Amino acid sequence: MSRPNSVIKLLSRANSHSRVYPLLPKNIFGIILEAPMSTTTANLPKVFVTRRVPEDGINFLRNKCVLTQWDSDDAIPREELKKRVKDIDGLFCLLTEKIDAEILDCAGPSLRAVSTMSVGYDHVDFAECQKRNIPVGFTPDVLTSATAELTVALLLSVSRRIKEGINAVKDGSWGTWKPLWLCGQGLDGATVGIIGLGRIGFAVAKRLMPFGVGKMLYAEYEEKDYASQLPAEYVDLDKLLKESDFVLGCCALTKENTGLMNSAAFKKMKNSAIFINTSRGGLVNQDDLYQALKSGEILGAGLDVTSPEPLPTDHPLLTLDNCVVLPHIASATMKSRNAMSELCARNIIEALNGNIMPAQVK
């Protein structure tokens, strides 16, 4: 029996990467139907979401806008993004999308709000948005706990040589007990240096204190009053690098600190020191890090962020037993990701309603 033309048309949409909201009831094939613009929806702002994101954000946007979405777990291609942003009012983006003058030009004068589902916003040309009076939102605070937990987990994985231990179990090199085998560095009595004592840096420090840390140091552009709650000592970067047993990158990426952790920095660290980075990949010169780890200049490293992302599978850092690399999963808890998604959505709707975003870049 032949299918009606309407059914054939619906089936042809099944593999499309685009969704159109507000959602109408799904048909028996589970395919979302598109309808002509009604009088009601004609008055609603248009918002485009650049990826498949947690439902809390999508649910918040329902009925508040005409919502279209790149319905894929993979990043939207640049050329496709340029087409999709045309005439939208609000843009819900991720770290993988470079929102620059070209994209803003493609969107046109209708664009009144940009928000990224991330704490970092260096992928958004903030100065260009300011020129066009387009507010930019981001999602701080809601991922602080998740990122702090992952930072501690990564530190422990490197310091206690977990990667090597797992491999020893898998490859059969685990033999009889040996007193010196797989001995790592402990936190008890250690000096921890934190580069950037903002929300995440402070949260990491609080979670490390129960491990019996001996001393906390932090380097920042200015002294922080709340550091006394740890307590942590405000020092310059040189002192932090020279004295710390663990050096943690927890700062925002700026022009001034891009490539901050380079050969010169690693030379100042102890041979027994461990470096952990959960901030941005651009903080580190990865070639210099590889040489420092390979030569024994520092003991180990753990990275949740790299440059580029994903890190190529043939990258030399991945050949080292004393380097643990994770696929940028610091905020990867359902609670955190849903909160990020909803806050990103709230930023857009508030701006489109003429209000200040709950989390607006200043």
Side-chain angles (χ1 to χ4, degrees):
M1 183 173 69
S2 62
R3 292 187 177 106
N5 288 337
S6 58
V7 174
I8 294 172
K9 184 178 179 183
L10 287 169
L11 287 173
S12 71
R13 291 177 182 164
N15 294 323
S16 171
H17 284 299
S18 181
R19 276 187 173 182
V20 179
Y21 301 83
L23 291 186
L24 298 170
K26 294 180 181 178
N27 73 345
I28 58 171
F29 298 104
I31 300 167
I32 296 164
L33 306 177
E34 296 179 31
M37 188 73 75
S38 68
T39 304
T40 304
T41 59
N43 296 324
L44 292 175
K46 299 175 185 176
V47 175
F48 177 61
V49 180
T50 62
R51 187 83 68 84
R52 191 175 293 154
V53 298
E55 280 298 307
D56 282 10
I58 297 300
N59 289 337
F60 182 82
L61 290 170
R62 291 181 200 275
N63 305 318
K64 297 180 179 70
C65 63
V66 176
L67 176 61
T68 54
Q69 179 182 15
W70 183 251
D71 192 25
S72 172
D73 288 326
D74 296 321
I76 184 171
R78 176 80 173 179
E79 289 304 309
E80 192 67 32
L81 177 61
K82 285 158 67 174
K83 295 176 192 173
R84 301 282 180 166
V85 297
K86 182 176 172 55
D87 297 328
I88 62 170
D89 298 280
L91 178 60
F92 182 130
C93 64
L94 283 81
L95 283 167
T96 45
E97 286 81 60
K98 186 172 180 60
I99 309 304
D100 54 12
E102 182 183 35
I103 295 299
L104 298 177
D105 286 341
C106 290
S110 63
L111 185 60
R112 295 181 284 134
V114 172
S115 189
T116 177
M117 195 183 117
S118 58
V119 173
Y121 50 87
D122 45 285
H123 58 295
V124 178
D125 190 332
F126 180 59
E128 190 64 34
C129 287
Q130 279 188 310
K131 275 192 223 173
R132 303 174 191 229
N133 295 314
I134 300 171
V136 176
F138 66 138
T139 58
D141 298 324
V142 293
L143 51 67
T144 298
S145 290
T147 303
E149 289 171 3
L150 192 281
T151 303
V152 174
L154 187 53
L155 184 156
L156 292 172
S157 293
V158 178
S159 65
R160 296 305 303 271
R161 303 174 67 177
I162 301 299
K163 175 182 176 181
E164 293 169 82
I166 292 171
N167 289 338
V169 173
K170 288 182 175 179
D171 65 22
S173 58
W174 177 21
T176 58
W177 183 80
K178 308 178 192 71
L180 298 178
W181 188 55
L182 290 183
C183 287
Q185 299 291 90
L187 280 162
D188 188 26
T191 297
V192 175
I194 302 175
I195 303 172
L197 198 70
R199 289 179 296 268
I200 292 173
F202 184 72
V204 171
K206 286 201 301 183
R207 284 160 176 76
L208 288 176
M209 292 304 292
F211 286 90
V213 169
K215 191 176 184 180
M216 286 274 188
L217 306 175
Y218 74 98
E220 263 281 9
Y221 64 91
E222 64 180 6
E223 194 166 358
K224 303 294 184 183
D225 292 339
Y226 52 78
S228 60
Q229 298 174 39
L230 295 170
E233 181 185 351
Y234 177 56
V235 298
D236 61 36
L237 183 62
D238 278 1
K239 181 178 174 69
L240 184 149
L241 294 173
K242 289 173 183 175
E243 296 186 8
S244 298
D245 299 299
F246 298 90
V247 174
L248 314 183
C250 297
C251 56
L253 184 66
T254 64
K255 290 180 181 178
E256 292 74 25
N257 65 24
T258 298
L260 179 73
M261 295 305 295
N262 55 20
S263 178
F266 297 128
K267 280 180 169 60
K268 292 172 184 175
M269 291 170 61
K270 298 177 181 180
N271 296 139
S272 58
I274 288 170
F275 172 66
I276 303 295
N277 187 26
T278 54
S279 57
R280 285 289 176 268
L283 183 71
V284 184
N285 182 313
Q286 291 173 171
D287 292 336
D288 289 354
L289 175 60
Y290 172 76
Q291 292 301 329
L293 291 167
K294 184 75 174 173
S295 66
E297 203 160 67
I298 64 173
L299 185 64
L303 311 173
D304 183 49
V305 286
T306 60
S307 183
E309 291 183 354
L311 194 66
T313 56
D314 60 352
H315 195 283
L317 282 173
L318 300 180
T319 66
L320 301 175
D321 286 335
N322 58 343
C323 185
V324 175
V325 181
L326 300 179
H328 202 154
I329 55 171
S331 65
T333 66
M334 289 308 300
K335 179 179 179 181
S336 175
R337 292 282 171 85
N338 267 302
M340 291 168 69
S341 181
E342 183 174 338
L343 178 54
C344 190
R346 285 182 181 277
N347 283 338
I348 291 169
I349 295 302
E350 287 299 321
L352 295 180
N353 287 336
N355 302 319
I356 300 294
M357 293 176 169
Q360 185 167 318
V361 178
K362 304 297 185 184

